[in-house]
Amino acid sequence: MTDLRYPVGKARMEPQLTDEERREMIDQIEQAPARLRAAVEGLTAEQLDTPYRPEGWTVRQVAHHVPDSHLNAYIRFKLALTEEEPPVKTYEEALWAKLPDTASVPVEVSLVLLESLHRRWVAVLRSMSAGDFERTLRHPDFGVINLNQLLGMYSWHGRHHVAHVTGLRERMGW
């Protein structure tokens, strides 16, 4: 049986990418909002409040988590593009998923946020040179990493969470 935590496998953060690999990853980031929207489309409130795996987040939490995470990613890219090896901070994503806005704000709000955010983020990503992707930041968990690695992480992240939802839908026959 597939590990429900990692339906598309674990993230790979390669320090060097080809132009074609970067283009493919940027395309994946560009497609993530539409794929998440399609994954949650038509779900009832009860279905949205179903965990995608035992002891996992609910679909609703996943739908709100993706823009939370990608907002952080967008800021990290902009910091690395405008500062020399900026330190970035982590955040308690599990606690963010339990904040009142996750339970009370409709998923649609986060879907629209993700769509708007990705329009801006993809514009930045498509304007970057190969040298820009070599720029670095300092992450508390990973140390010094470059933007190739961050691109790999977030192209995976959207696919990872969409697969959580689509996998649940398949298993439940929704």
Side-chain angles (χ1 to χ4, degrees), residues 32-149:
R35 289 186 172 164
L36 183 60
R37 179 177 286 285
V40 302
E41 187 173 358
L43 293 179
T44 66
E46 182 180 350
Q47 290 168 329
L48 288 170
D49 290 328
T50 302
Y52 73 88
R53 68 175 174 85
E55 300 179 26
W57 284 350
T58 66
V59 173
R60 183 183 309 279
Q61 286 172 310
V62 168
H64 288 301
H65 162 72
V66 174
D68 285 347
S69 176
H70 291 197
L71 281 164
N72 277 282
Y74 175 65
I75 296 299
R76 290 170 179 174
F77 267 87
K78 291 187 82 159
L79 287 169
L81 288 169
T82 59
E83 300 176 20
E84 292 304 316
E85 201 171 285
V88 297
K89 64 183 294 330
T90 59
Y91 67 102
E92 297 293 335
E93 61 183 37
L95 296 177
W96 282 36
K98 293 178 182 176
L99 289 173
D101 64 316
T102 300
S104 65
V105 173
V107 168
E108 177 64 21
V109 173
S110 282
L111 295 173
V112 170
L113 173 60
L114 190 67
E115 289 163 351
S116 296
L117 170 64
H118 277 233
R119 287 173 105 179
R120 296 263 321 263
W121 191 13
V122 168
V124 170
L125 293 172
R126 291 203 193 286
S127 74
M128 291 171 61
S129 68
D132 289 334
F133 283 95
E134 299 294 324
R135 295 190 60 91
T136 59
L137 54 80
R138 184 172 296 278
H139 191 283
D141 295 335
F142 304 115
V144 175
I145 61 172
N146 69 29
L147 294 181
N148 283 310
Q149 292 169 287

Side-chain angles (χ1 to χ4, degrees), residues 146-166:
N146 69 29
L147 294 181
N148 283 310
Q149 292 169 287
L150 210 59
L151 180 67
M153 169 64 78
Y154 286 99
S155 69
W156 167 86
H157 189 259
R159 292 181 295 111
H160 167 73
H161 284 303
V162 166
H164 284 149
V165 178
T166 58

Side-chain angles (χ1 to χ4, degrees), residues 3-66:
D3 185 341
L4 297 178
R5 293 172 302 165
Y6 301 102
V8 297
K10 292 190 178 184
R12 292 182 34 229
M13 293 175 44
E14 300 295 332
Q16 300 299 314
L17 298 171
T18 66
D19 290 341
E20 180 57 34
E21 288 169 324
R22 276 191 293 273
R23 273 192 297 278
E24 184 177 311
M25 290 177 180
I26 293 167
D27 287 347
Q28 290 169 348
I29 288 171
E30 183 175 44
Q31 295 160 8
R35 289 186 172 164
L36 183 60
R37 179 177 286 285
V40 302
E41 187 173 358
L43 293 179
T44 66
E46 182 180 350
Q47 290 168 329
L48 288 170
D49 290 328
T50 302
Y52 73 88
R53 68 175 174 85
E55 300 179 26
W57 284 350
T58 66
V59 173
R60 183 183 309 279
Q61 286 172 310
V62 168
H64 288 301
H65 162 72
V66 174

